[in-house]
Amino acid sequence: MAQLEIRDVGYRHPDADRLVAEVQAEYVVRYGGPDDSHIEADQFEPPGGRFAVGYCDDEPVVIGGWRRIPAGEPATGWADPAAELKRMYVVERMRGAGFARAMLAYLERSAAEHGIGWLLLETGLKQPEALALYQSCGYAEVPPFGYYAGRSTARHLGKRLG
């Protein structure tokens, strides 16, 4: 397996921006449109979040981040303190190398180090690879929350950290 180096870079970093554009293009192919849930780049800045890029031979190949969910949110209060996992993506030519699993583990450690008790996420039925990854890493269905709550193609997963 090629060596992966994960760096916290922030959501506005040019490499993050490029791969976010790629994942949005993939959502258009799979779902007919981009993920238009509200994101503010500063939500991924410490201490309330993280956004990382994984590099293989200095080439950006995987991204992912987490942002803290405000305490007391009606749909996620049961999980306080919680964070939402966003923008997990591996460039197509590097899929199957374990980079998504490595990024997920990195983000889980980072969130736990910042006092997060649960990582929650929204994904969809048209992303079977993502569903398989999360389930194999211990994520289970949780009550619907967020932008896609109530949509038949959405799946809401979570994992207790620590």
Side-chain angles (χ1 to χ4, degrees):
M1 179 168 123
Q3 187 67 23
L4 183 69
E5 177 192 358
I6 299 176
R7 303 177 203 158
D8 287 329
V9 298
Y11 198 83
R12 292 183 181 106
H13 188 278
D15 292 334
D17 192 51
R18 187 175 101 211
L19 295 189
V20 166
E22 284 186 26
V23 71
Q24 289 285 32
E26 188 152 328
Y27 294 151
V28 170
V29 170
R30 292 186 187 216
Y31 294 100
D35 174 3
D36 55 0
S37 61
H38 181 72
I39 286 186
E40 293 178 23
D42 59 355
Q43 294 173 321
F44 295 92
E45 295 297 321
R50 285 284 186 283
F51 201 85
V53 174
Y55 295 87
C56 184
D57 297 326
D58 257 353
E59 182 67 27
V61 297
V62 58
I63 56 171
W66 59 266
R67 61 183 179 178
R68 189 177 298 269
I69 298 171
E73 285 290 314
T76 58
W78 60 269
D80 287 343
E84 183 180 17
L85 193 66
K86 292 296 285 182
R87 298 293 184 259
M88 285 283 296
Y89 174 74
V90 178
V91 297
E92 188 171 2
R93 66 181 175 74
M94 300 302 277
R95 292 179 186 163
F99 295 153
R101 190 172 299 275
M103 178 61 79
L104 183 59
Y106 177 84
L107 294 171
E108 289 174 353
R109 282 191 305 275
S110 171
E113 288 168 2
H114 287 83
I116 300 300
W118 281 84
L119 263 184
L120 307 177
L121 64 96
E122 295 177 294
T123 190
L125 290 177
K126 295 182 180 182
Q127 294 169 266
E129 312 91 335
L131 285 166
L133 169 71
Y134 296 131
Q135 290 167 345
S136 74
C137 290
Y139 287 75
E141 287 195 35
V142 297
F145 69 94
Y147 186 78
Y148 295 101
R151 297 194 191 183
S152 63
T153 60
R155 291 297 172 263
H156 298 82
L157 304 175
K159 180 179 179 179
R160 189 174 203 21
L161 303 178

